[in-house]
């Protein structure tokens, strides 16, 4: 079976750093995506990890530990526009489908 | 390059009716996936199509069906609508549907069942 867990909501302050965790239990795990979704908009791609380690892309970084079934998305120098839902999603080998977690709503306050 | 388009953007139906939603992928993309999004549940996978073939299906009742045309456009149909079908239906396209392909999402169709 497949199970993905993320915190439901998080609040952080503008300019700060926030880490959004995602744990998964998935048969045939292949890789892990992070998507950002602003309210009323479509999800947009942030990152994809297939190997263990940290991938940095500007203010956003994503980490994966395959052995622990764990990933996190790190957002630095938070801006008000980062207020959004962050969706963790896993893909399985040969599955032709992406399994999404319920998402974490991030509120950035001044 | 035009993005993924979905029509209609909003629909209001009553219980028992049926509905057809349409999705046009990005030009050159051959894989289309459909998702149902509800508050608290997140995105639930409905099905994926590639070259007019359904390659995978989620855990939804048979009232949910779909198809893909030779130009990669896709439709999904929900018959005998229930109140619980009220949701945002998103389609996403990718080049080949490979597990490492980034998906590009359309704006969604907001379905309300009364």
């Amino acid at each position: 079976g497949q199970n993905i867990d993320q915190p439901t909501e998080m609040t952080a302050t503008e300019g700060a750093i926030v880490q959004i965790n995602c744990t998964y239990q998935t048969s045939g795990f292949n890789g892990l995506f992070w998507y950002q979704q602003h309210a009323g908009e479509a999800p947009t791609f942030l990152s994809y990890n297939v190997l263990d380690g940290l991938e940095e892309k500007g203010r956003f970084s994503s980490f994966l530990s395959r052995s622990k079934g764990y990933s996190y998305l790190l957002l630095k120098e938070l801006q008000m526009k980062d207020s959004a839902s962050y969706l963790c999603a896993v893909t399985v080998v040969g599955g032709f489908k992406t399994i999404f977690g319920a998402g974490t709503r991030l509120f950035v306050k001044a | 390059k035009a993005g993924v388009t979905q029509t209609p953007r909003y629909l209001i139906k009553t219980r028992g009716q049926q509905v057809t939603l349409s999705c046009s992928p990005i030009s050159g993309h051959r894989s289309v996936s459909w998702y149902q999004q509800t508050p608290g549940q997140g995105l639930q996978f409905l099905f994926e199509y590639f070259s007019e073939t359904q390659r995978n299906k989620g855990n939804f009742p048979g009232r949910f069906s779909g198809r893909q045309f030779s130009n990669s456009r896709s439709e999904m149909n929900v018959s005998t609508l229930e109140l619980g079908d009220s949701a945002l239906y998103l389609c996403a396209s990718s080049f080949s549907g490979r597990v490492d392909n980034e998906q590009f999402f359309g704006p969604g169709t907001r379905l309300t069942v009364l």
Side-chain angles (χ1 to χ4, degrees), chain A residues 32-36 44-50 53-63 72-77 79 81-82 86, chain B residues 100-104:
Chain A
L32 189 143
F33 284 91
W34 285 96
Y35 285 84
Q36 180 191 58
T44 55
F45 170 82
L46 288 176
S47 66
Y48 176 67
N49 293 69
V50 64
L54 186 69
E55 301 241 351
E56 299 186 71
K57 194 184 293 185
R59 294 190 298 115
F60 292 13
S61 302
S62 57
F63 171 85
Y72 67 73
L73 181 69
L74 193 71
L75 290 73
K76 303 175 190 173
E77 301 168 14
Q79 302 175 9
K81 67 177 182 180
D82 296 330
Y86 291 86
Chain B
D100 58 349
N101 276 187
E102 169 190 350
Q103 291 185 77
F104 295 82

Side-chain angles (χ1 to χ4, degrees), chain B residues 53-73:
Chain B
T53 300
Q54 185 184 91
R55 297 193 296 189
N56 209 332
K57 189 178 189 310
N59 297 323
F60 279 82
R63 301 185 296 108
F64 291 80
S65 63
R67 59 177 175 169
Q68 187 181 35
F69 302 95
S70 59
N71 62 358
S72 294
R73 190 178 70 85

Side-chain angles (χ1 to χ4, degrees), chain A residues 11-31:
Chain A
T11 300
T13 304
E14 194 175 19
I17 299 173
V18 70
Q19 178 175 311
I20 302 174
N21 296 325
C22 171
T23 58
Y24 62 88
Q25 294 163 319
T26 307
S27 303
F29 174 83
N30 183 81

Side-chain angles (χ1 to χ4, degrees), chain A residues 2 30-31 33 35 37 40-46 48 50 87 91-103, chain B residues 9 33 35 37 40-45 48 55-58 88 90 96-103 105-107:
Chain A
Q2 292 106 4
N30 183 81
F33 284 91
Y35 285 84
Q37 185 177 27
E41 297 182 12
T44 55
F45 170 82
L46 288 176
Y48 176 67
V50 64
L87 312 178
T91 56
V92 297
V93 176
F96 303 116
K97 73 176 186 179
T98 306
I99 305 150
F100 283 81
Chain B
R9 292 293 310 279
S33 297
Y35 298 89
Q37 186 173 33
Q41 289 281 339
L43 273 73
Q44 302 289 310
F45 173 78
E48 190 264 359
R55 297 193 296 189
N56 209 332
K57 189 178 189 310
L88 180 68
L90 291 162
S96 69
R98 271 179 40 169
V99 291
D100 58 349
N101 276 187
E102 169 190 350
Q103 291 185 77
F105 285 83

